[in-house]
Amino acid sequence: MTAGIVAVAASILSPSIQLSVEALRFCLQLSTAAIGASLFLFALFIRRIADDHRQIAESEQRFRRAMEDSAIGVAIVGLDGRIVQTNPAFAAMLGYSRTEIEALTFFQITHPDDLQLGRETMVALKEGKIDSFHFEKRYLKKDGTPVWAQLAGSVIREEETGRPLYLVSQIEDIDARKQAEARIAEAETRWNFALTSAGQGVWSLDMRKGGTTYSETWVRMLGYDDGELDGDPDRWLTMIHPDDRERVAEAERAHLADETAFFEAEFRMRHKDGRWIWILDRGKAIERDGEGRLIRAIGSLTDITERKQAEERLKVSAAMLADEKERLRVTLQSIGDAVICTDAANRITFMNPVAEKLTGVAAGEALGNVLCHVYWPVDEETGQRIGLTRPSAGDRQHCDQNTRAVLIRRDDTRCSIRQMVSPIMNDRNEFCGLVIVFQDFTDARALQRQLAYAAAHDALTGLANRSSFMRTMEELVDQCRLNGGEHQFMFVDLDHFKTVNDTGGHAAGDALLKRIAAAIRNVLGPEDIVARLGGDEFAVILKNGATAQAAIAARSIIDAIRNLNFSWDGRPHSIGASIGLAPIRADHGEVDEIIARADAACYAAKAAGRGCVSAAPDEVSKEEATSLLLAAAS
């Protein structure tokens, strides 16, 4: 085009430069050709530019569609960490919108523990040490939860200078894989820890790899170093105790012949130091060749030496326990006491012959039944059932004794028993049942009642004796002091009783005393207390009575004794009585003082002519009380 312009300019300027017509024509032709050629070249250039623009637009369209439609995240990141552009997959992976995430930097969405990794990668890219990168890191979602991702990307550089411009990264969500790997690692850790803690070793047979390998726990179990026993698949058989080899070989043969699902055997193996340890070996064939020959197998070995030793000890203990149990059974069968044992549910587990006899139920019928169907004890006085139940937690070592129990049999007959109930506790202090030991106490109980009655009653008259009467008096005096109230005390002394003894003898006197006791008892109420103090002296306590009422009651006693009409050997005897009265109140002193006052009043009645009643004065000085006590004592 430049040449054409020059030719046109020459034709215009030709008059001044005096060119010939031929030269001018040549210039015009030349310029026309140059312009035509330049126009053609320009058209080609414009078309090339258009093609380049179209290719760039198509490439950009493909990149945009690839970025937009990609299932994994894509991000363009500036060298300052700013996120220039991202695709929907990456925004969705972190829970952001594209607008929100493109306003952040990768530092803001990276887990704090992984920030240094990103910074180091960025520095290496800027310094030209690397052009691409590939690593795993954790991002933070919008809600703050971490998510594992795998990054792969490269740096885009300026063509002329090589200066880095930005980074293009592909981000794949691998959080599920990471969690699965963590679970697998945790399971493997637990598995290894469980095997080690349980003292279990693992062996693996692989004929393709040349034999058997053993875990570290396995070889240490036998005192060897790691790898020392690997290789020969038959070496372990040479380490088995000779007495156990045949049994182990048979178990192995049965498994290889598919007769058993697993190989399992307990045997002794020689430790490196020469001692024998017990081993539990479990294994399984997992691969065979076409002819059925073993290719791969795996199994575990457990040191069960302590268990075997414990079993031996248990065998010895069981034998000793069986002997002891037999001795105990023979003892319980032969002793004179009745014995019943129950379990924790209160069901009978044992019953000896004496218990069968006392309950009236055979052991065969009783075993397995609830205790109350066979053994029903009640309190002798109240008639209430005596419960035999599980003891409380703080009272499980206590033995309950009862000497006032009465056993009611099925036929409603009764038997006085003395029982002892003891809980059975195991070594963990758990309740396991009861042992009831009881005896027939009927005769002993009757004797006890007789002795108790004799200790508190006069043998001749059946009235309360002096000691029991004094105890009753003391109780009443204490009650008056605590609660108030008033009772009346009578001191009764017979008149002319000595004459009966002298003329009729002691037999006559005893007969008379019995009738007098009955006469006094008949005159009084059921709550009143009558006692014989000794000889011909009697005492009466009127419960809750005033002095006037006491005087009337005393007069009735005197009349009843006078009207007895007692005769002995055909000879009548006239008997009388003199009575002294004294109140029992809180302010009337001790028991001895009250008796002394009533005694003194009785002497006053005798002095007044006998056969009458005399009441002690309410107020007595200390000196008078002392003199009365001395007189009573004399």
Side-chain angles (χ1 to χ4, degrees):
M1 184 170 287
T2 304
I5 294 172
V6 170
V8 172
S11 62
I12 295 173
L13 297 175
S14 59
S16 59
I17 58 177
Q18 297 179 356
L19 291 176
S20 63
V21 175
E22 290 78 6
L24 181 59
R25 187 181 295 112
F26 176 75
C27 288
L28 288 173
Q29 291 175 350
L30 181 63
S31 62
T32 302
I35 291 171
S38 64
L39 289 174
F40 178 74
L41 292 174
F42 182 73
L44 290 176
F45 180 72
I46 293 299
R47 183 175 180 181
R48 178 65 180 271
I49 291 175
D51 289 343
D52 288 345
H53 276 292
R54 180 177 53 78
Q55 290 177 2
I56 290 172
E58 290 177 356
S59 177
E60 183 178 357
Q61 181 70 13
R62 284 195 299 271
F63 173 75
R64 187 180 303 279
R65 293 315 316 162
M67 185 172 178
E68 293 290 331
D69 300 337
S70 176
I72 64 174
V74 179
I76 299 175
V77 181
L79 298 180
D80 57 356
R82 184 174 56 83
I83 300 174
V84 178
Q85 188 177 355
T86 185
N87 68 339
F90 182 57
M93 186 176 81
L94 300 185
Y96 290 97
S97 66
R98 290 181 63 180
T99 304
E100 290 174 332
I101 201 168
E102 289 174 358
L104 302 174
T105 66
F106 88 92
F107 301 109
Q108 293 174 286
I109 60 174
T110 298
H111 193 282
D113 295 343
D114 297 336
L115 278 174
Q116 187 60 30
L117 178 62
R119 290 192 178 101
E120 291 174 355
T121 302
M122 187 70 76
V123 170
L125 289 169
K126 289 180 179 179
E127 294 177 353
K129 295 180 180 180
I130 59 173
D131 289 325
S132 62
F133 50 90
H134 187 282
F135 57 87
E136 296 175 353
K137 64 178 260 188
R138 285 164 293 180
Y139 284 102
L140 293 176
K141 291 184 176 182
K142 186 176 181 179
D143 60 6
T145 57
V147 57
W148 276 99
Q150 180 173 279
L151 275 75
S154 58
V155 60
I156 305 301
R157 300 182 181 275
E158 197 175 57
E159 289 188 9
E160 291 80 3
T161 64
R163 181 174 64 86
L165 299 176
Y166 52 84
L167 309 178
V168 177
S169 300
Q170 293 182 341
I171 306 101
E172 182 180 1
D173 185 347
I174 59 170
D175 196 63
R177 191 194 79 193
K178 279 289 187 178
Q179 291 181 8
E181 290 174 353
R183 287 193 295 270
I184 293 171
E186 183 182 359
E188 184 175 355
T189 300
R190 286 199 302 268
W191 164 254
N192 291 330
F193 180 76
L195 289 176
T196 303
S197 300
Q200 288 188 327
V202 178
W203 58 266
S204 176
L205 171 65
D206 192 337
M207 301 304 294
R208 296 191 188 93
K209 295 182 179 180
T212 307
T213 56
Y214 303 96
S215 68
E216 183 179 358
T217 304
W218 198 101
V219 294
R220 285 186 178 179
M221 191 186 303
L222 295 172
Y224 292 90
D225 295 328
D226 193 15
E228 189 173 352
L229 298 177
D230 290 350
D232 186 358
D234 296 324
R235 182 175 179 179
W236 71 284
L237 290 170
T238 65
M239 302 167 63
I240 297 176
H241 193 285
D243 295 344
D244 300 334
R245 285 177 189 169
E246 183 177 351
R247 179 163 44 84
V248 175
E250 174 58 24
E252 183 182 33
R253 183 206 63 76
H255 178 58
L256 293 179
D258 287 335
E259 296 176 7
T260 57
F262 295 91
F263 164 77
E264 181 172 344
E266 294 181 359
F267 51 86
R268 288 161 289 181
M269 292 189 77
R270 185 181 293 278
H271 194 274
K272 191 174 184 180
D273 62 10
R275 60 190 171 90
W276 296 100
I277 64 173
W278 276 96
I279 294 292
L280 169 62
D281 190 356
R282 290 190 179 99
K284 182 175 177 60
I286 57 176
E287 185 180 351
R288 301 173 188 265
D289 63 12
E291 298 179 359
R293 290 190 296 263
L294 181 65
I295 298 298
R296 289 188 62 202
I298 192 169
S300 66
L301 289 96
T302 307
D303 185 349
I304 59 171
T305 304
E306 291 185 2
R307 195 196 82 189
K308 281 292 185 178
Q309 292 172 348
E311 288 177 356
E312 289 299 321
R313 291 193 297 270
L314 283 174
K315 288 180 181 177
V316 175
S317 298
M320 295 175 61
L321 183 61
D323 292 342
E324 185 66 25
K325 185 176 180 180
E326 180 61 19
R327 284 194 295 270
L328 179 60
R329 187 189 66 80
V330 173
T331 301
L332 293 177
Q333 294 285 356
S334 59
I335 63 173
D337 292 342
V339 179
I340 296 177
C341 299
T342 72
D343 58 15
N346 220 28
R347 297 186 180 276
I348 296 175
T349 58
F350 175 81
M351 192 172 182
N352 71 348
V354 181
E356 292 182 82
K357 180 180 178 181
L358 289 181
T359 59
V361 181
E365 181 185 354
L367 294 180
N369 280 322
V370 179
L371 180 64
C372 63
H373 292 169
V374 176
Y375 185 74
W376 187 273
V378 298
D379 186 88
E380 182 180 39
E381 293 186 4
T382 64
Q384 296 294 320
R385 184 193 171 198
I386 300 172
L388 304 175
T389 56
R390 181 191 300 261
S392 61
D395 197 33
R396 291 189 172 179
Q397 301 301 323
H398 177 68
C399 297
D400 182 24
Q401 300 185 48
N402 193 312
T403 59
R404 295 170 46 190
V406 173
L407 177 63
I408 302 178
R409 302 186 181 96
R410 285 185 175 180
D411 59 2
D412 287 334
T413 59
R414 294 174 176 244
C415 172
S416 295
I417 61 171
R418 178 173 61 183
Q419 71 173 19
M420 177 180 290
V421 182
S422 302
I424 304 173
M425 313 300 295
N426 62 16
D427 56 353
R428 297 183 298 276
N429 200 33
E430 296 172 339
F431 175 73
C432 298
L434 296 172
V435 175
I436 303 110
V437 180
F438 55 103
Q439 303 165 332
D440 186 349
F441 212 56
T442 304
D443 295 339
R445 193 75 54 79
L447 180 58
Q448 283 181 346
R449 285 193 289 267
Q450 291 173 6
L451 293 175
Y453 183 86
H457 292 80
D458 178 55
L460 178 63
T461 62
L463 299 177
N465 60 18
R466 184 181 187 90
S467 60
S468 67
F469 183 79
M470 294 297 289
R471 287 193 298 271
T472 303
M473 279 281 288
E474 289 172 354
E475 293 173 0
L476 290 174
V477 169
D478 291 339
Q479 289 176 6
C480 290
R481 288 173 180 166
L482 291 173
N483 305 320
E486 180 178 349
H487 311 288
Q488 300 296 324
F489 174 70
M490 298 183 191
F491 190 92
V492 181
D493 187 45
L494 299 181
D495 297 331
H496 310 300
F497 178 76
K498 187 175 182 301
T499 304
V500 177
N501 264 343
D502 291 343
T503 57
H506 290 292
D510 291 346
L512 178 57
L513 289 174
K514 290 180 181 180
R515 291 191 59 184
I516 291 172
I520 297 174
R521 181 73 271 175
N522 290 334
V523 169
L524 301 175
E527 293 184 355
D528 298 329
I529 300 168
V530 184
R532 181 188 174 202
L533 300 182
D536 59 351
E537 294 178 345
F538 294 84
V540 175
I541 297 176
L542 296 180
K543 301 290 289 291
N544 303 318
T547 303
Q549 293 173 330
I552 295 172
R555 189 73 255 174
S556 298
I557 292 173
I558 292 173
D559 293 341
I561 293 174
R562 181 185 298 120
N563 297 325
L564 278 177
N565 297 322
F566 179 74
S567 298
W568 188 260
D569 291 338
R571 181 179 177 180
H573 294 276
S574 179
I575 301 299
S578 298
I579 299 178
L581 292 177
I584 302 173
R585 291 200 293 263
D587 57 350
H588 273 57
E590 301 296 332
V591 172
D592 290 341
E593 296 177 46
I594 296 171
I595 294 175
R597 293 174 62 200
D599 191 13
C602 183
Y603 275 99
K606 284 182 177 291
R610 302 177 185 273
C612 61
V613 180
S614 176
D618 286 345
E619 300 295 334
V620 179
S621 66
K622 186 175 182 181
E623 291 76 9
E624 289 175 325
T626 302
S627 63
L628 288 172
L629 285 171
L630 292 174
S634 61

